[in-house]
């Protein structure tokens, strides 16, 4: 490497990692797109849904989804499908099924993936019998990989620790606290069953060995049938900000107050979700769907189908002030039918790790669940 190139690379890294990112113009561009799964009934799977995405501590990129065996419905038997990339998403392993629920009537549902940076473990939390449809109780399950996603443990039932409440993590990723309070804690947030809906977080202070319930934001009226416009916080994505708070972006199931996102903040490492810290983000129009969020180098990113009435228009937004407001520019990822999404990026040392984020999302021509697609987005396409 000659001096000029080397100097240039060092300079870019210094600017990107040292200064707050708002000094650089974010100008995102779709760099490449690949379909990871296509529904349509070939083979053992009818429909792929609920995409999750994470990097491992060794820099591999893991994509997960629900492989629904016989229909597109939320209930029914499923696999957890996994594809793995060791070259930052350029090429992918074939699909492997890391969990098979057999022929359950109310089978598995994803779920959250959380990576423990200290042990390297990749942990997937999912549920069985979440809807309690011809079965009970609902069971919160965990499976983990200690070898970068190659092999997976036998599934473990967490109900002896958590009790019998219906809980469905995510969908999205869980976090490991990097800033005080509670550094090292794993925080996985999700929602309750329909009547007992609300946002609940489960916490582990021992790398996923034991779990307990932390903060909760219950629906109103709790554990009772809902009317339209009742308060029903549902699927959610937590992110940790650099001040150590956890911001949870939440699906507003019954359009309470607005057709937009609920945002709630925990100041104590996920132990509580106080109503005083709850806001409705009117800029984030939403039809009640799971959305993606990510914090990277001082910038908060958000993806959803940006439409108040239907699942179309998958859009990336970004905020330079921790979500208080959103930059006016947006990146349209897909104008057509689009559903759930999840964002990740690598916290690595190389220039490319500062430059790219990855969004996995449900994408279709006619229906949003026709395929699951991955886009690699260049954040600084101008530089
Ligand atoms: C798509 O999202 C953008 C950004 O929020 C918005 O301006 C536009 O009206 C949306 N279009 C549709 C068809 O929902
Ligand atoms: C980044 O660089 C530091 C210091 O050289 C090193 O300790 C760390 O392992 C590197 N991280 C990655 C993800 O390569």
């Amino acid at each position: 490497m000659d001096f000029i190139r080397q100097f240039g690379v060092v300079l870019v890294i210094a600017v990107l990692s040292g200064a707050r990112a708002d000094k650089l113009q974010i100008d995102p561009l779709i760099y490449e797109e690949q379909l990871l799964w296509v529904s349509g009934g070939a083979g053992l799977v009818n429909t792929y849904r609920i995409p999750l995405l994470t990097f491992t501590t060794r820099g591999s990129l893991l994509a997960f989804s629900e492989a629904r065996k016989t229909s597109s419905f939320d209930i029914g038997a499923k696999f957890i499908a996994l594809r793995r990339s060791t070259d930052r998403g350029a090429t992918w392993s074939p699909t492997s099924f890391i969990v098979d629920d057999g022929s359950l009537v109310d089978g598995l549902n994803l779920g959250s993936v959380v990576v423990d940076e200290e042990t390297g473990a990749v942990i997937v939390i999912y549920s069985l019998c979440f809807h309690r449809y011809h079965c009970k109780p609902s069971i919160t399950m965990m499976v983990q990989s200690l070898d970068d996603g190659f092999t997976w443990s036998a599934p473990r039932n967490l109900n002896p620790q958590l009790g019998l409440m219906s809980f469905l993590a995510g969908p999205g990723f869980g976090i490991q606290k990097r800033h005080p309070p509670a550094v090292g804690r794993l925080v996985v947030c999700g929602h309750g069953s329909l009547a007992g809906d609300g946002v609940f977080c489960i916490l582990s202070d021992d790398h996923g060995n034991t779990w307990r319930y932390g903060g909760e934001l219950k629906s109103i009226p709790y554990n009772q049938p809902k009317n339209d416009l009742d308060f029903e916080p549902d699927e959610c994505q937590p992110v940790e900000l650099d001040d150590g708070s956890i911001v949870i972006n939440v699906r507003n199931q019954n359009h309470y107050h607005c057709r937009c996102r609920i945002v709630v903040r925990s100041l104590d490492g996920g132990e509580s979700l106080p109503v005083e810290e709850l806001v409705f983000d009117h800029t984030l129009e939403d039809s009640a769907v799971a959305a993606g969020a990510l914090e990277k180098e001082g910038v908060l990113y958000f993806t959803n189908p940006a439409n108040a009435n239907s699942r179309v228009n998958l859009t990336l937004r970004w905020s330079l002030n921790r979500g208080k407001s959103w930059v006016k520019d947006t990146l349209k990822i897909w104008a057509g039918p689009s559903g759930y999404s999840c964002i990740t990026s690598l916290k690595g040392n190389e220039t490319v790790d500062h430059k790219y984020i990855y969004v996995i999302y449900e994408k279709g021509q006619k229906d949003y669940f026709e395929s699951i697609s991955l886009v690699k987005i260049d954040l600084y396409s101008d530089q």
Side-chain angles (χ1 to χ4, degrees), residues 6-120:
Q6 193 168 11
F7 184 72
V9 168
V10 169
L11 196 71
V12 168
I13 290 173
V15 170
L16 287 169
S17 57
R20 283 185 63 87
D22 54 10
K23 300 220 172 68
L24 265 185
Q25 182 70 33
I26 295 177
D27 189 13
L29 197 71
I30 295 180
Y31 182 82
E32 62 185 25
E33 172 151 20
Q34 297 177 66
L35 292 187
L36 291 188
W37 288 289
V38 178
S39 301
L44 297 168
V45 179
N46 179 286
T47 302
Y48 291 94
R49 279 211 59 197
I50 325 293
L52 314 180
L53 192 64
T54 192
F55 273 101
T56 66
T57 50
R58 284 190 232 161
S60 298
L61 188 53
L62 305 184
F64 303 84
S65 67
E66 283 183 11
R68 302 183 169 184
K69 294 180 188 178
T70 56
S71 78
S72 64
F73 300 145
D74 291 345
I75 59 163
K78 305 174 196 77
F79 304 101
I80 296 178
L82 168 67
R83 295 188 72 180
R84 189 169 171 275
S85 172
T86 53
D87 53 11
R88 293 183 166 83
T91 61
W92 290 86
S93 73
T95 296
S96 58
F97 297 132
I98 62 166
V99 177
D100 178 356
D101 66 12
S103 55
L104 292 183
V105 175
D106 187 358
L108 68 86
N109 286 104
L110 285 174
S112 288
V113 58
V114 57
V115 173
D116 189 307
E117 301 278 339
E118 289 165 42
T119 65

Side-chain angles (χ1 to χ4, degrees), residues 306-307 313 315 317 332:
N307 185 287
N313 198 30
T315 300
R317 289 187 171 278
K332 195 190 292 288

Side-chain angles (χ1 to χ4, degrees), residues 195-208:
D197 209 350
V199 169
F200 302 86
C201 296
I202 60 172
L203 314 177
S204 176
D205 289 309
D206 57 7
H207 308 287

Side-chain angles (χ1 to χ4, degrees), residues 30 47 50 58 102 128 135 141 154 162 224 277 351 357 378:
I30 295 180
T47 302
I50 325 293
R58 284 190 232 161
L128 295 174
C135 55
M141 302 289 294
L162 292 174
Q224 295 159 57
E277 296 293 332
T351 313
I357 62 171
D378 182 350

